[in-house]
Amino acid sequence: MTHLETELNALKQKLLRMGAVAEMSLTQATRSLVERDDELARKVSLEDDVLDELEKEIDEDGITLLTKAPLASQLRLITSAMRIGRDLERIGDEATKIARRAIDLNGEPQLKAFIDIPRMSSLAAGMLKEGLDAFVSGDTAKAREVVKRDKEVDQLNKQLHRELVSYMIESPSTVTRSLNLMTASKALERIADHAKNVAEDVVFLYEAKDIRHVGLHSPSN
């Protein structure tokens, strides 16, 4: 293995570490809301700092490696890693947003049973995990399936927003709690968007195809 290949492998490992932290942040943020756990919510902010630092390191490493990589496949790996790192950092930001809303909501009576939010979180977490798995294995078919699943999270977000608007119309005393839940729901929808971006970058990395904004295309034969 050449020195460059060793450095590229180190970049991939750093990205996977970042992915693991992002997954944990999402899980803990959701639990802090559903289980009404302020302490767990505060831990999410600490993990966000870790993600911020890892993103900086990946960007710095990537810029250095761009000057050394002679092959198109190596250049795609570096640029994809930098883009995925940016999405993982933003997942951390959204998880922090959920945790902050959890702390606000935990101080008031629970508005409704938590069904939609855990479902959205589970879907988004699954998308992220499978997108990262596809990055490791080079499985672009799996990555394309992740992209398709984003619509399901979008629909759940819209459904919950409609329900919460009804709560606010019927009972003004629920406005603050409803708005906090809307913010958390929107954050989960954005996390799914970032997981979708990761999957799209996996397709770009292994197929040299940019499928952003243009829908899904069948892999080349």
Side-chain angles (χ1 to χ4, degrees):
M1 183 178 291
T2 66
H3 182 63
L4 175 59
E5 288 171 333
T6 299
E7 290 181 297
L8 290 172
N9 281 335
L11 180 69
K12 289 172 70 174
Q13 291 305 313
K14 192 171 289 187
L15 189 66
L16 292 174
R17 180 188 166 206
M18 192 176 184
V21 175
E23 286 184 56
M24 182 170 61
S25 295
L26 169 56
T27 299
Q28 290 185 335
T30 305
R31 282 183 53 210
S32 73
L33 180 62
V34 174
E35 298 174 12
R36 301 173 68 82
D37 188 333
D38 286 2
E39 184 177 350
L40 192 57
R42 294 187 184 98
K43 287 182 181 179
V44 176
S45 294
L46 298 177
E47 287 156 8
D48 188 46
D49 293 339
V50 174
L51 289 171
D52 291 345
E53 287 305 311
L54 283 169
E55 185 199 17
K56 290 177 186 176
E57 290 179 22
I58 287 170
D59 280 350
E60 290 169 2
D61 293 347
I63 290 169
T64 300
L65 287 169
L66 283 172
T67 65
K68 304 177 183 180
L71 303 178
S73 59
Q74 293 171 334
L75 292 172
R76 287 199 305 274
L77 171 58
I78 296 163
T79 55
S80 296
M82 293 169 73
R83 292 199 311 208
I84 291 171
R86 183 167 60 249
D87 278 299
L88 294 175
E89 188 276 331
R90 288 176 180 171
I91 285 174
D93 289 343
E94 297 297 337
T96 299
K97 194 180 296 181
I98 295 167
R100 288 173 179 161
R101 298 287 75 77
I103 290 173
D104 290 342
L105 285 162
N106 293 348
E108 300 185 70
Q110 186 167 326
L111 179 62
K112 65 186 294 292
F114 291 124
I115 298 172
D116 301 302
I117 281 180
R119 175 65 178 152
M120 290 175 67
S121 179
S122 177
L123 285 168
M127 289 173 65
L128 177 58
K129 182 181 186 305
E130 291 189 19
L132 292 169
D133 287 347
F135 172 76
V136 172
S137 65
D139 188 344
T140 56
K142 178 182 281 190
R144 288 168 183 272
E145 287 302 314
V146 169
V147 174
K148 293 177 185 177
R149 285 161 53 192
D150 182 53
K151 291 181 180 178
E152 190 173 350
V153 181
D154 291 343
Q155 288 302 316
L156 285 169
N157 179 51
K158 290 176 184 176
Q159 177 182 310
L160 181 56
H161 271 58
R162 287 194 296 268
E163 183 180 352
L164 291 170
V165 167
S166 297
Y167 273 103
M168 290 190 288
I169 292 172
E170 294 169 7
S171 178
S173 65
T174 67
V175 168
T176 300
R177 284 172 289 171
S178 294
L179 290 174
N180 278 327
L181 285 171
M182 282 182 173
T183 299
S185 177
K186 182 61 178 176
L188 288 169
E189 187 265 338
R190 291 294 299 133
I191 287 171
D193 285 344
H194 291 303
K196 174 186 173 184
N197 292 346
V198 171
E200 289 173 339
D201 281 324
V202 170
V203 175
F204 172 73
L205 170 59
Y206 291 105
E207 294 184 10
K209 287 184 178 179
D210 189 343
I211 63 171
R212 295 173 299 171
H213 317 304
V214 294
L216 296 170
H217 299 302
S218 297
S220 300
N221 293 326

